[in-house]
Amino acid sequence: MAKDQQQISLTFPDGNARAYDAGVTPAAVAESISKSLSKKAISATVNGQHWDLQWPIEGDATVAIHTMQDEAQANELVRHDLAHIMARAVQEIWPDTKVTIGPVIEHGWYYDFDREEPFTPEDLGLIEKKMKEIINKRDPVRTEVWDRDVAIQFYKDRNEPYKVELIESIPGDEPLRMYWHGDWQDLCRGPHLQHTGQVPGDAFKLMSVAGAYWRGDSDRQMLQRIYGVAFTGKEKLKAHLTMLEEAAKRDHRKLGREMDLFHFEEVAPGSVFWHPAGWRVFQTLIDYMRRRQDAVDYIEVNTPDIMDRALWETSGHWFNYMDNMFLAQTHDDRDYALKPMNCPGHMMIYNHTLRSYRELPIKISEFGKVHRYEPSGALHGLMRVRSFTQDDAHIYCTPDQLFEECAKVNKLILSIYKDFGFEDVHVKLSTRPENRIGSDEVWDLSEDALRTTLEDANMNYTIFEGEGAFYGPKLEYVLRDAIGRDWQCGTLQVDYNLPERFGSTYVSASGEKLAPVMLHRALFGSLERFTGILIENWEGKLPFWLAPRQVVVASITSEADGYVQEVVDTLRKAGVQAEADMRNEKINYKVREHSLSKVPVILAVGAREVEEKTVSVRRLGQKQTSVQALTDVTAQLAAEATPPDLR
RNA sequence: GCUGCUGUAGCUCAGAGGUAGAGCACUCCCUUGGUAAGGGAGAGGUCGAGAGUUCAAUUCUCUCCAGCAGCACCA
């Protein structure tokens, strides 16, 4: 049986190379290295590609064999195999269920099914149990490459229309791979583990079931998606579940209720009723932003909330977004709409007078409240609402000034985020979309301005090809919060289009009327949403200067009431937001209540403090107290109440 | 908007085909207490809205509204 077997050279991570027969599998390679490695092996990386142990290697390559110690690969395999195991379990329990796709996602996987009956939360337990049985069977995983037509016929025979559609959409030159987990098989790109027993049976959990559209298309079939999380070990699963509990504790909707910051009503879905404490945070943000913008020559304006349809037609909103606009009916035969954006109003202000190049750049800002009829399913606490306040501004400049203005906005954004404790900022750069207006030269200019801005500032960014707005490219600023969650907040967009639509001009040095370039920018984005993010980031315990309530002065005995009032007045005069608690309750009760509502400082006063003109200071989260002179405490708290830009 | 689930006192929740209960909060009384719940009494609900089935509906059915999870959307 001797034949000319072509030899290939495989290079290992330690730099050593060995010769093997062409077509050797990583499984065989692992076995040639050591028995124990062969047992522990889960997959390989071949020439940089994650490689199934069963796939043949046909040419010279670099090869690394992975074990469960290689977290990245192990997670991917475990999650991917669990997706298959779950689909198998579901089909074993409910054979009429049709399978679709089941990808790996952050922390786990999901699988979409088509089945008449909805899955219930109890079903998840059943499925989990069945999955554990499958894992315990240690069923072998094997793979084959199939002919396209055979695969299509196979799935047609099995009445799996989604798989047929999937195969039909895979490019003809791509090999079709089938995977078996025991007797159950699925079309799959791989790679996978060697047998189901390699999946840690105690490190996964089915989390939820929810609807999801087939192929993400809202015009198509709604499927049932089951989500699972999985890790390489039980401890990691536990840590993840603990993290979820921590995140739930930070939920701004829950904290908003507990801290009495705001509420919602059925009569105004998606619109906030701000309570005094919440409104104080909101106003503190606006005051802060106003100062920061004043310092760099922004001018603040205010424009109407309700404007005629004609304006929205000019801006393009009427045709593009009418379904998402609040329309106002009146008795004067005119169509009005509540503003969904501030820019058209700012165009009116820009256009109101003749502009000279000497004035540019003009930076028009507005804390405008915009109204958008968001889909009901999109509403989510403060994070997605139907009326919200933007820290919006539009910068009108000459094309020559474009880059410099972008750089200034970028600098301002970063400096502001820093003041709020967000140092980990990532930027998304979205470039020209397929469907766009304007010449390529203009797009080159706009994109260059944004890209150069980021590169000059040494910033971390990701390019999203084709994701820009139809009128121009944009930057989106993403903050990472205290527990690693990302929030998209600020945006900076270049726009050559709107000035043209509105016929905006400026008189150039040579006396010509030219069109300005316009930048749209928002730093907090939505004040409502940013407030929500702050609440979640700090778990309600906002820094003193931002805290919804700063100080409660609590009496220990009613004999101290007069002094309590004196302390409150003193603090207020010093710019500290203080309130008195002179209720007929014990100090324990008061401390508990205000601590639960996350008041950062409680000042307790009893007979001794009255006598000595002191206060007993208790900071949120600290058990020990300290008695200090009122004058010292006032100075200290006044300093802490000062916003960072004024320190 | 779509799929599923949920809607009972201000909050957190229990409950059953025969028109409702707990704890906390609230009001009043006693208590003046030194850093995370002092004691007692009281008041509070068209059981999300509408329709249907039934002798009888808050409970069962349907429609609508709102919320939750996910999907889709996000100028």
Side-chain angles (χ1 to χ4, degrees):
Chain A
M1 278 277 278
K3 57 173 182 159
D4 295 341
Q5 183 66 55
Q6 206 193 322
Q7 293 286 111
I8 58 171
S9 167
L10 301 185
T11 310
F12 298 105
D14 61 3
N16 289 327
R18 272 171 74 172
Y20 289 90
D21 291 343
V24 67
T25 65
V29 172
E31 193 155 4
S32 78
I33 294 170
S34 81
K35 189 113 198 161
S36 67
L37 180 62
S38 149
K39 254 190 143 162
K40 286 193 300 189
I42 54 171
S43 66
T45 292
V46 176
N47 287 336
Q49 194 189 339
H50 200 193
W51 203 267
D52 197 292
L53 289 181
Q54 298 178 44
W55 297 349
I57 305 167
E58 301 294 353
D60 291 353
T62 59
V63 175
I65 305 287
H66 299 301
T67 67
M68 277 292 172
Q69 305 308 310
D70 298 311
E71 193 84 7
Q73 289 80 9
N75 274 332
E76 186 188 326
L77 291 166
V78 164
R79 291 164 186 169
H80 203 172
D81 280 83
L82 279 164
H84 283 218
I85 290 168
M86 180 173 81
R88 171 176 164 187
V90 166
Q91 286 202 315
E92 283 184 10
I93 304 173
W94 300 281
D96 57 326
T97 307
K98 293 179 180 52
V99 289
T100 68
I101 55 162
V104 170
I105 52 175
E106 197 182 12
H107 307 132
W109 80 93
Y110 66 78
Y111 206 111
D112 287 347
F113 300 97
D114 183 15
R115 174 173 171 246
E116 283 291 313
E117 286 287 298
F119 292 113
T120 66
E122 294 74 53
D123 290 342
L124 295 187
L126 278 178
I127 298 167
E128 240 175 55
K129 196 166 154 244
K130 177 67 86 177
M131 288 170 71
K132 287 184 179 162
E133 286 170 22
I134 294 168
I135 289 169
N136 286 333
K137 281 183 184 163
R138 304 173 69 84
D139 275 337
V141 175
R142 65 189 173 81
T143 179
E144 282 174 10
V145 174
W146 275 26
D147 176 77
R148 210 180 164 75
D149 297 331
V150 172
I152 289 176
Q153 195 53 51
F154 175 84
Y155 278 123
K156 278 187 175 159
D157 293 345
R158 291 204 161 197
N159 191 25
E160 293 280 12
Y162 298 96
K163 289 291 179 190
V164 173
E165 192 184 325
L166 275 179
I167 295 172
E168 284 170 344
S169 71
I170 294 174
D173 52 348
E174 241 178 69
L176 288 181
R177 206 170 262 290
M178 286 293 182
Y179 265 92
W180 279 261
H181 283 70
D183 292 333
W184 189 85
Q185 57 66 240
D186 199 357
L187 171 77
C188 184
R189 201 178 279 126
H192 277 284
L193 293 165
Q194 295 308 287
H195 60 84
T196 61
Q198 280 184 314
V199 173
D202 57 358
F204 76 92
K205 183 171 161 59
L206 302 189
M207 302 300 285
S208 62
V209 51
Y213 297 109
W214 170 232
R215 312 211 110 184
D217 183 343
S218 58
D219 291 330
R220 304 197 65 177
Q221 177 76 25
M222 176 66 73
L223 305 169
Q224 297 190 64
R225 173 172 297 178
I226 301 178
Y227 284 91
V229 293
F231 299 86
T232 53
K234 192 177 172 177
E235 290 312 309
K236 289 180 186 119
L237 173 66
K238 220 178 132 190
H240 178 72
L241 297 177
T242 307
M243 197 277 285
L244 290 182
E245 283 171 27
E246 289 304 312
K249 278 188 207 160
R250 290 167 180 261
D251 191 318
H252 73 282
R253 295 165 300 184
K254 176 174 169 281
L255 290 169
R257 195 166 43 237
E258 290 171 1
M259 297 170 68
D260 194 17
L261 304 179
F262 58 85
H263 84 276
F264 290 90
E265 295 275 349
E266 284 199 15
V267 292
S271 292
V272 189
F273 289 76
W274 283 105
H275 295 9
W279 191 239
R280 197 172 292 126
V281 178
F282 198 97
Q283 289 302 320
T284 304
L285 291 176
I286 289 183
D287 291 347
Y288 168 86
M289 185 60 79
R290 182 173 285 135
R291 284 193 306 273
R292 296 299 309 264
Q293 291 184 161
D294 282 353
V296 286
D297 298 324
Y298 282 69
I299 50 175
E300 186 178 328
V301 303
N302 191 263
T303 60
D305 295 319
I306 298 174
M307 292 188 274
D308 194 278
R309 164 182 182 156
L311 181 84
W312 306 113
E313 285 182 358
T314 304
S315 70
H317 290 100
W318 191 266
F319 301 106
N320 283 317
Y321 292 105
M322 192 170 74
D323 289 347
N324 300 307
M325 286 166 75
F326 282 96
L327 306 179
Q329 271 192 336
T330 56
H331 307 289
D332 58 0
D333 283 334
R334 290 174 68 174
D335 292 328
Y336 296 93
L338 271 72
K339 65 175 171 188
M341 290 193 81
N342 299 302
C343 24
H346 293 181
M347 300 308 298
M348 305 315 276
I349 288 185
Y350 180 90
N351 284 358
H352 186 67
T353 178
L354 213 54
R355 302 291 182 180
S356 154
Y357 74 99
R358 294 170 186 278
E359 296 176 71
L360 301 186
I362 295 175
K363 306 172 184 176
I364 300 180
S365 84
E366 176 171 0
F367 295 96
K369 191 168 197 180
V370 296
H371 301 263
R372 299 178 181 179
Y373 185 74
E374 301 286 1
S376 59
L379 303 179
H380 181 91
L382 297 177
M383 300 305 185
R384 188 83 182 267
V385 290
R386 285 189 176 150
S387 40
F388 59 99
T389 310
Q390 290 181 317
D391 59 325
D392 204 4
H394 295 95
I395 299 170
Y396 297 83
C397 64
T398 68
D400 289 346
Q401 295 169 326
L402 182 57
F403 165 69
E404 194 188 338
E405 290 310 312
C406 288
K408 281 184 188 164
V409 170
N410 185 61
K411 196 175 152 205
L412 183 64
I413 290 193
L414 295 181
S415 148
I416 284 174
Y417 289 169
K418 207 169 170 182
D419 276 350
F420 289 88
F422 297 114
E423 309 246 2
D424 191 349
V425 180
H426 185 264
V427 180
K428 304 202 287 200
L429 166 59
S430 299
T431 60
R432 67 193 78 185
E434 194 102 333
N435 197 350
R436 63 178 184 269
I437 55 167
S439 67
D440 283 350
E441 292 81 63
V442 161
W443 277 92
D444 288 343
L445 276 172
S446 312
E447 289 174 6
D448 275 356
L450 294 180
R451 192 179 298 111
T452 314
T453 298
L454 297 174
E455 274 165 13
D456 279 13
N458 257 326
M459 310 225 348
N460 205 353
Y461 71 97
T462 316
I463 295 179
F464 287 73
E465 296 288 353
E467 297 287 308
F470 69 94
Y471 51 77
K474 61 182 176 186
L475 298 183
E476 273 155 344
Y477 291 77
V478 181
L479 308 178
R480 177 150 295 179
D481 77 6
I483 57 170
R485 293 174 303 176
D486 288 337
W487 304 97
Q488 188 171 308
C489 293
T491 180
L492 169 59
Q493 303 174 20
V494 182
D495 184 2
Y496 281 86
N497 169 53
L498 215 54
E500 193 188 310
R501 286 188 90 118
F502 278 87
S504 305
T505 58
Y506 65 94
V507 178
S508 73
S510 56
E512 295 170 277
K513 279 194 172 175
L514 300 176
V517 190
M518 180 179 182
L519 293 178
H520 305 244
R521 47 109 284 183
L523 312 193
F524 292 145
S526 147
L527 268 300
E528 282 77 359
R529 181 176 147 86
F530 198 78
T531 306
I533 293 168
L534 290 176
I535 294 169
E536 300 223 352
N537 182 61
W538 297 98
E539 203 183 340
K541 291 170 262 185
L542 272 59
F544 193 78
W545 73 280
L546 276 170
R549 297 166 67 200
Q550 293 180 325
V551 179
V552 169
V553 185
S555 59
I556 293 170
T557 142
S558 56
E559 280 162 32
D561 284 0
Y563 181 59
V564 165
Q565 194 56 54
E566 190 186 327
V567 173
V568 166
D569 292 344
T570 306
L571 288 168
R572 285 188 183 169
K573 226 171 268 174
V576 177
Q577 190 279 310
E579 52 197 288
D581 183 354
M582 297 186 277
R583 291 174 303 169
N584 176 15
E585 298 290 352
K586 292 201 169 181
I587 192 64
N588 292 298
Y589 182 93
K590 295 180 184 181
V591 165
R592 177 183 150 83
E593 187 179 278
H594 299 125
S595 297
L596 285 174
S597 53
K598 305 197 195 300
V599 174
V601 173
I602 298 170
L603 302 180
V605 300
R608 279 206 300 278
E609 286 77 10
V610 174
E611 186 72 23
E612 297 162 1
K613 293 286 177 204
T614 56
V615 289
S616 165
V617 184
R618 183 184 168 116
R619 298 264 177 178
L620 182 59
Q622 292 178 7
K623 266 212 135 48
Q624 80 276 25
T625 60
S626 66
V627 177
Q628 296 172 41
L630 175 58
T631 47
D632 294 348
V633 171
T634 304
Q636 171 65 28
L637 293 180
E640 286 181 43
T642 306
D645 61 309
L646 295 180
R647 282 176 201 164

mmCIF file of all heavy atoms in Angstrom, chain A residues 104 114 128 130 146 202 215 230 258 272 371 384 389 440-441 450 454 477 527 548 586 634:
data_model
loop_
_atom_site.group_PDB
_atom_site.id
_atom_site.type_symbol
_atom_site.label_atom_id
_atom_site.label_comp_id
_atom_site.label_asym_id
_atom_site.label_seq_id
_atom_site.Cartn_x
_atom_site.Cartn_y
_atom_site.Cartn_z
ATOM 1 N N VAL A 104 -22.696 31.784 18.381
ATOM 2 C CA VAL A 104 -22.067 32.130 19.656
ATOM 3 C C VAL A 104 -22.145 33.647 19.804
ATOM 4 O O VAL A 104 -21.957 34.382 18.837
ATOM 5 C CB VAL A 104 -20.593 31.678 19.637
ATOM 6 C CG1 VAL A 104 -19.829 32.240 20.833
ATOM 7 C CG2 VAL A 104 -20.515 30.157 19.626
ATOM 8 N N ASP A 114 -38.366 27.439 15.057
ATOM 9 C CA ASP A 114 -39.727 27.714 14.608
ATOM 10 C C ASP A 114 -40.604 26.585 15.135
ATOM 11 O O ASP A 114 -40.382 25.426 14.796
ATOM 12 C CB ASP A 114 -39.789 27.770 13.075
ATOM 13 C CG ASP A 114 -41.185 28.139 12.587
ATOM 14 O OD1 ASP A 114 -42.000 28.618 13.419
ATOM 15 O OD2 ASP A 114 -41.455 27.959 11.394
ATOM 16 N N GLU A 128 -32.757 22.027 29.593
ATOM 17 C CA GLU A 128 -31.471 21.963 30.286
ATOM 18 C C GLU A 128 -31.172 20.539 30.745
ATOM 19 O O GLU A 128 -30.050 20.047 30.629
ATOM 20 C CB GLU A 128 -31.496 22.892 31.501
ATOM 21 C CG GLU A 128 -30.439 23.969 31.433
ATOM 22 C CD GLU A 128 -30.548 24.971 32.581
ATOM 23 O OE1 GLU A 128 -30.543 24.535 33.746
ATOM 24 O OE2 GLU A 128 -30.661 26.181 32.293
ATOM 25 N N LYS A 130 -32.353 17.747 29.517
ATOM 26 C CA LYS A 130 -32.063 16.917 28.350
ATOM 27 C C LYS A 130 -30.650 17.191 27.846
ATOM 28 O O LYS A 130 -29.908 16.276 27.466
ATOM 29 C CB LYS A 130 -33.110 17.206 27.264
ATOM 30 C CG LYS A 130 -32.910 16.487 25.959
ATOM 31 C CD LYS A 130 -33.098 14.981 26.085
ATOM 32 C CE LYS A 130 -34.562 14.598 25.946
ATOM 33 N NZ LYS A 130 -34.756 13.116 25.995
ATOM 34 N N TRP A 146 -20.361 18.231 2.424
ATOM 35 C CA TRP A 146 -21.425 17.685 1.568
ATOM 36 C C TRP A 146 -21.564 18.448 0.279
ATOM 37 O O TRP A 146 -21.273 19.643 0.195
ATOM 38 C CB TRP A 146 -22.777 17.735 2.304
ATOM 39 C CG TRP A 146 -23.014 16.545 3.190
ATOM 40 C CD1 TRP A 146 -22.074 15.753 3.767
ATOM 41 C CD2 TRP A 146 -24.285 16.057 3.608
ATOM 42 N NE1 TRP A 146 -22.676 14.794 4.526
ATOM 43 C CE2 TRP A 146 -24.032 14.950 4.452
ATOM 44 C CE3 TRP A 146 -25.619 16.437 3.373
ATOM 45 C CZ2 TRP A 146 -25.069 14.216 5.044
ATOM 46 C CZ3 TRP A 146 -26.638 15.718 3.956
ATOM 47 C CH2 TRP A 146 -26.373 14.609 4.783
ATOM 48 N N ASP A 202 -21.728 21.662 33.998
ATOM 49 C CA ASP A 202 -22.210 22.471 35.127
ATOM 50 C C ASP A 202 -21.885 23.940 34.947
ATOM 51 O O ASP A 202 -21.949 24.717 35.881
ATOM 52 C CB ASP A 202 -21.586 21.962 36.418
ATOM 53 C CG ASP A 202 -20.057 21.978 36.347
ATOM 54 O OD1 ASP A 202 -19.517 22.347 35.276
ATOM 55 O OD2 ASP A 202 -19.413 21.618 37.336
ATOM 56 N N ARG A 215 -33.674 35.871 9.991
ATOM 57 C CA ARG A 215 -32.676 36.665 9.289
ATOM 58 C C ARG A 215 -32.743 38.142 9.637
ATOM 59 O O ARG A 215 -32.404 39.013 8.834
ATOM 60 C CB ARG A 215 -32.806 36.502 7.765
ATOM 61 C CG ARG A 215 -32.922 35.050 7.336
ATOM 62 C CD ARG A 215 -32.331 34.799 5.985
ATOM 63 N NE ARG A 215 -31.095 34.011 6.106
ATOM 64 C CZ ARG A 215 -30.320 33.700 5.084
ATOM 65 N NH1 ARG A 215 -30.585 34.142 3.880
ATOM 66 N NH2 ARG A 215 -29.247 32.970 5.269
ATOM 67 N N ALA A 230 -22.621 30.340 28.857
ATOM 68 C CA ALA A 230 -21.762 29.193 29.135
ATOM 69 C C ALA A 230 -20.323 29.626 29.291
ATOM 70 O O ALA A 230 -19.884 30.608 28.679
ATOM 71 C CB ALA A 230 -21.866 28.172 28.001
ATOM 72 N N GLU A 258 -36.688 54.186 43.941
ATOM 73 C CA GLU A 258 -36.229 54.149 45.322
ATOM 74 C C GLU A 258 -35.712 55.498 45.797
ATOM 75 O O GLU A 258 -35.877 55.872 46.947
ATOM 76 C CB GLU A 258 -35.133 53.096 45.486
ATOM 77 C CG GLU A 258 -35.664 51.683 45.367
ATOM 78 C CD GLU A 258 -34.554 50.637 45.306
ATOM 79 O OE1 GLU A 258 -33.366 51.012 45.383
ATOM 80 O OE2 GLU A 258 -34.890 49.457 45.171
ATOM 81 N N VAL A 272 -40.980 61.467 30.623
ATOM 82 C CA VAL A 272 -40.572 61.416 32.020
ATOM 83 C C VAL A 272 -41.308 62.438 32.880
ATOM 84 O O VAL A 272 -41.444 63.597 32.480
ATOM 85 C CB VAL A 272 -39.061 61.711 32.152
ATOM 86 C CG1 VAL A 272 -38.573 61.438 33.565
ATOM 87 C CG2 VAL A 272 -38.278 60.897 31.137
ATOM 88 N N HIS A 371 -39.194 65.557 20.248
ATOM 89 C CA HIS A 371 -40.227 64.530 20.405
ATOM 90 C C HIS A 371 -40.163 63.565 19.233
ATOM 91 O O HIS A 371 -40.202 63.991 18.088
ATOM 92 C CB HIS A 371 -41.603 65.191 20.465
ATOM 93 C CG HIS A 371 -41.736 66.161 21.598
ATOM 94 N ND1 HIS A 371 -42.319 65.816 22.785
ATOM 95 C CD2 HIS A 371 -41.325 67.448 21.724
ATOM 96 C CE1 HIS A 371 -42.268 66.872 23.605
ATOM 97 N NE2 HIS A 371 -41.669 67.867 22.980
ATOM 98 N N ARG A 384 -34.515 55.155 26.529
ATOM 99 C CA ARG A 384 -35.151 55.376 25.222
ATOM 100 C C ARG A 384 -36.537 55.921 25.506
ATOM 101 O O ARG A 384 -37.392 55.189 26.005
ATOM 102 C CB ARG A 384 -35.195 54.047 24.463
ATOM 103 C CG ARG A 384 -35.641 54.163 23.035
ATOM 104 C CD ARG A 384 -34.507 54.561 22.098
ATOM 105 N NE ARG A 384 -34.998 54.697 20.729
ATOM 106 C CZ ARG A 384 -34.974 53.698 19.836
ATOM 107 N NH1 ARG A 384 -34.450 52.545 20.149
ATOM 108 N NH2 ARG A 384 -35.464 53.868 18.627
ATOM 109 N N THR A 389 -34.326 65.765 25.950
ATOM 110 C CA THR A 389 -33.626 67.023 25.823
ATOM 111 C C THR A 389 -32.218 66.769 25.327
ATOM 112 O O THR A 389 -31.483 65.988 25.926
ATOM 113 C CB THR A 389 -33.564 67.712 27.198
ATOM 114 O OG1 THR A 389 -34.886 67.708 27.733
ATOM 115 C CG2 THR A 389 -33.047 69.124 27.076
ATOM 116 N N ASP A 440 -18.192 62.844 -4.305
ATOM 117 C CA ASP A 440 -17.162 62.064 -3.624
ATOM 118 C C ASP A 440 -16.096 62.962 -3.015
ATOM 119 O O ASP A 440 -15.549 62.651 -1.960
ATOM 120 C CB ASP A 440 -16.511 61.074 -4.599
ATOM 121 C CG ASP A 440 -17.419 59.874 -4.848
ATOM 122 O OD1 ASP A 440 -18.434 59.748 -4.111
ATOM 123 O OD2 ASP A 440 -17.131 59.092 -5.763
ATOM 124 N N GLU A 441 -15.842 64.110 -3.668
ATOM 125 C CA GLU A 441 -14.830 65.014 -3.126
ATOM 126 C C GLU A 441 -15.264 65.518 -1.755
ATOM 127 O O GLU A 441 -14.472 65.589 -0.813
ATOM 128 C CB GLU A 441 -14.615 66.237 -4.040
ATOM 129 C CG GLU A 441 -13.971 65.932 -5.382
ATOM 130 C CD GLU A 441 -14.980 65.405 -6.391
ATOM 131 O OE1 GLU A 441 -15.911 66.149 -6.729
ATOM 132 O OE2 GLU A 441 -14.846 64.242 -6.831
ATOM 133 N N LEU A 450 -12.822 63.922 9.953
ATOM 134 C CA LEU A 450 -13.121 63.115 11.137
ATOM 135 C C LEU A 450 -11.972 62.156 11.458
ATOM 136 O O LEU A 450 -11.559 62.030 12.615
ATOM 137 C CB LEU A 450 -14.424 62.329 10.930
ATOM 138 C CG LEU A 450 -15.687 63.186 10.809
ATOM 139 C CD1 LEU A 450 -16.924 62.310 10.616
ATOM 140 C CD2 LEU A 450 -15.862 64.075 12.031
ATOM 141 N N LEU A 454 -9.391 62.080 14.851
ATOM 142 C CA LEU A 454 -9.161 60.961 15.760
ATOM 143 C C LEU A 454 -7.680 60.603 15.815
ATOM 144 O O LEU A 454 -7.135 60.329 16.883
ATOM 145 C CB LEU A 454 -9.970 59.748 15.308
ATOM 146 C CG LEU A 454 -11.482 59.963 15.349
ATOM 147 C CD1 LEU A 454 -12.204 58.765 14.752
ATOM 148 C CD2 LEU A 454 -11.937 60.182 16.786
ATOM 149 N N TYR A 477 -19.498 58.529 20.043
ATOM 150 C CA TYR A 477 -18.651 58.334 21.214
ATOM 151 C C TYR A 477 -19.294 57.339 22.161
ATOM 152 O O TYR A 477 -20.443 57.529 22.573
ATOM 153 C CB TYR A 477 -18.406 59.675 21.915
ATOM 154 C CG TYR A 477 -17.529 60.586 21.105
ATOM 155 C CD1 TYR A 477 -18.044 61.275 20.017
ATOM 156 C CD2 TYR A 477 -16.183 60.721 21.405
ATOM 157 C CE1 TYR A 477 -17.223 62.095 19.255
ATOM 158 C CE2 TYR A 477 -15.363 61.545 20.649
ATOM 159 C CZ TYR A 477 -15.889 62.226 19.574
ATOM 160 O OH TYR A 477 -15.076 63.023 18.822
ATOM 161 N N LEU A 527 -30.143 64.227 27.530
ATOM 162 C CA LEU A 527 -29.950 64.482 28.956
ATOM 163 C C LEU A 527 -30.645 63.418 29.793
ATOM 164 O O LEU A 527 -30.139 63.000 30.844
ATOM 165 C CB LEU A 527 -30.526 65.843 29.335
ATOM 166 C CG LEU A 527 -29.653 67.095 29.326
ATOM 167 C CD1 LEU A 527 -28.495 66.961 30.293
ATOM 168 C CD2 LEU A 527 -29.135 67.422 27.948
ATOM 169 N N PRO A 548 -28.422 63.864 43.598
ATOM 170 C CA PRO A 548 -29.779 64.409 43.573
ATOM 171 C C PRO A 548 -30.137 65.086 44.896
ATOM 172 O O PRO A 548 -30.860 66.065 44.918
ATOM 173 C CB PRO A 548 -30.673 63.203 43.328
ATOM 174 C CG PRO A 548 -29.794 62.018 43.237
ATOM 175 C CD PRO A 548 -28.370 62.435 43.316
ATOM 176 N N LYS A 586 -36.305 58.136 65.749
ATOM 177 C CA LYS A 586 -34.975 57.931 66.306
ATOM 178 C C LYS A 586 -33.914 58.132 65.232
ATOM 179 O O LYS A 586 -34.170 57.962 64.043
ATOM 180 C CB LYS A 586 -34.862 56.507 66.863
ATOM 181 C CG LYS A 586 -35.740 56.304 68.067
ATOM 182 C CD LYS A 586 -35.256 55.141 68.888
ATOM 183 C CE LYS A 586 -35.992 55.145 70.213
ATOM 184 N NZ LYS A 586 -35.566 54.073 71.094
ATOM 185 N N THR A 634 -18.911 73.011 56.547
ATOM 186 C CA THR A 634 -19.506 73.836 55.494
ATOM 187 C C THR A 634 -18.487 74.108 54.389
ATOM 188 O O THR A 634 -18.788 73.958 53.208
ATOM 189 C CB THR A 634 -20.017 75.165 56.080
ATOM 190 O OG1 THR A 634 -20.940 74.866 57.136
ATOM 191 C CG2 THR A 634 -20.724 75.987 55.017
#
